[in-house]
Amino acid sequence: MTGSLVIVGTGPGDPDLMTPATRRALSGATDLVGYGPYLDRVPAGPSAQVRHASDNRVELDRARQALRLASAGRHVAVVSGGDPGVFAMASAVFEAVESGEPMWRDVDIRVEPGVTAMLAAAAEVGAPLGGDFCAVSLSDNLKSWATIERRLTAAAEGDFVIAFYNPASRARPDGIKRAFGLLGSLKAKETVVVLVRAAGTADATCIVTTLGAADTSVIDMRTLVIIGSSATRTIARPEGLPWVYTPRSEPGARS
Ligand code: SAH
């Protein structure tokens, strides 16, 4: 008997930012698999629903556990934060399918889109992602620092707005300083920088600063960093933070 596997994201934290389709998928599951704090965001389901909480490491083991349950006939939801396809569990599930048991290819697998941190962070301050942008994870657990530097250099060369996920953790306090050092040598010191902690939650905090002035010591693993393009600008307000936006049109472009 073949079950099913749906991969969902809980959004950035606010229950209102979890999609109705995700809620439906969660309440229909017999088993939830995911990192403990993400499972804690899931509303209580049917009483027979089983929660398999794990730590945040070994994503592939968690993916294999979910596939084993689904191919034994269970209806499994794998739970990530944000969107499940952005630096999260969906690709781990497909990697496990590709390298795993042939019978796992028969499992009915579905991915539900979610609100990723970058979108919630951008909305806190205006529209910094209004032009072309890219996203880079600064974690070097799964790739080398040389790759991160190559991509940051290319993003600066392309004048993209850049969103950093996983910008710093206790195990990796220096990467963010190196990333700012590299971008500081390639981009103007006045480039707008936005630091949003706990975006899309009641605890959200935002800092609007510049590449030259940013204090990287406040950046932690709950922070999303947005580095502007040369076109990203601010609009001062009488009170509070300025708006930040990136115009869609280049100066001189036809509109
Ligand atoms: N799948 C998730 C990202 C997982 S990587 C998503 O789509 O959002 C984890 C990183 O996401 C964190 O280190 C942080 O940089 C960012 N992040 C997740 N939730 C966040 C939030 N509410 N506010 C700011 N950054 C967040």
Side-chain angles (χ1 to χ4, degrees), residues 44-130:
S47 57
Q49 191 176 64
V50 187
R51 293 185 176 217
H52 308 265
S54 64
D55 70 19
N56 205 10
R57 284 160 210 277
V58 271
E59 291 190 338
L60 262 181
D61 288 349
R62 229 181 301 154
R64 291 191 186 106
Q65 177 190 22
L67 283 159
R68 270 193 296 273
L69 287 164
S71 62
R74 309 288 294 179
H75 296 285
V76 184
V78 174
V79 183
S80 288
D83 175 274
V86 178
F87 306 125
M89 282 302 296
S91 51
V93 169
F94 291 111
E95 200 178 329
V97 169
E98 189 178 18
S99 63
E101 305 286 332
M103 70 190 294
W104 290 352
R105 297 188 182 216
D106 292 332
V107 175
D108 168 20
I109 299 176
R110 195 159 53 84
V111 182
E112 279 297 344
V115 177
T116 189
M118 169 175 79
L119 303 184
E124 296 279 357
V125 293
L129 305 179

Side-chain angles (χ1 to χ4, degrees), residues 12 38 80-83 86-88 115-117 164-167 196-199 201 221-224:
Y38 296 148
S80 288
D83 175 274
V86 178
F87 306 125
V115 177
T116 189
F164 289 163
Y165 284 75
N166 297 308
V196 187
R197 188 163 193 284
T201 76
M221 60 192 292
R222 288 194 76 197
T223 308
L224 193 290

Side-chain angles (χ1 to χ4, degrees), residues 19-251:
T19 70
T22 294
R23 279 179 200 286
R24 232 178 357 259
L26 286 165
S27 62
T30 57
D31 295 75
L32 305 184
V33 173
Y35 174 45
Y38 296 148
L39 290 189
D40 292 344
R41 291 186 194 165
V42 176
S47 57
Q49 191 176 64
V50 187
R51 293 185 176 217
H52 308 265
S54 64
D55 70 19
N56 205 10
R57 284 160 210 277
V58 271
E59 291 190 338
L60 262 181
D61 288 349
R62 229 181 301 154
R64 291 191 186 106
Q65 177 190 22
L67 283 159
R68 270 193 296 273
L69 287 164
S71 62
R74 309 288 294 179
H75 296 285
V76 184
V78 174
V79 183
S80 288
D83 175 274
V86 178
F87 306 125
M89 282 302 296
S91 51
V93 169
F94 291 111
E95 200 178 329
V97 169
E98 189 178 18
S99 63
E101 305 286 332
M103 70 190 294
W104 290 352
R105 297 188 182 216
D106 292 332
V107 175
D108 168 20
I109 299 176
R110 195 159 53 84
V111 182
E112 279 297 344
V115 177
T116 189
M118 169 175 79
L119 303 184
E124 296 279 357
V125 293
L129 305 179
D132 294 337
F133 62 87
C134 62
V136 179
S137 168
L138 289 194
S139 168
D140 58 0
N141 289 340
L142 302 170
K143 64 187 171 194
S144 72
W145 188 257
T147 296
I148 295 172
E149 285 191 337
R150 180 162 58 85
R151 292 186 179 153
L152 293 183
T153 304
E157 167 64 25
D159 199 21
F160 287 94
V161 175
I162 313 169
F164 289 163
Y165 284 75
N166 297 308
S169 73
R170 253 163 282 146
R172 297 179 290 105
D174 294 332
I176 187 69
K177 289 195 204 104
R178 287 170 72 179
F180 269 71
L182 175 63
L183 292 178
S185 70
L186 299 170
K187 293 170 70 78
K189 299 274 178 280
E190 302 73 37
T191 304
V192 180
V193 167
V194 180
L195 312 176
V196 187
R197 188 163 193 284
T201 76
D203 304 328
T205 54
C206 303
I207 295 172
V208 177
T209 178
T210 62
L211 199 48
D215 172 8
T216 55
S217 70
V218 301
I219 298 171
D220 66 6
M221 60 192 292
R222 288 194 76 197
T223 308
L224 193 290
V225 178
I226 298 176
I227 312 277
S229 71
S230 62
T232 304
R233 58 191 63 227
T234 57
I235 306 172
R237 289 191 277 177
E239 277 181 51
L241 289 178
W243 293 119
V244 179
Y245 84 106
T246 306
R248 295 190 58 200
S249 58
E250 284 192 302

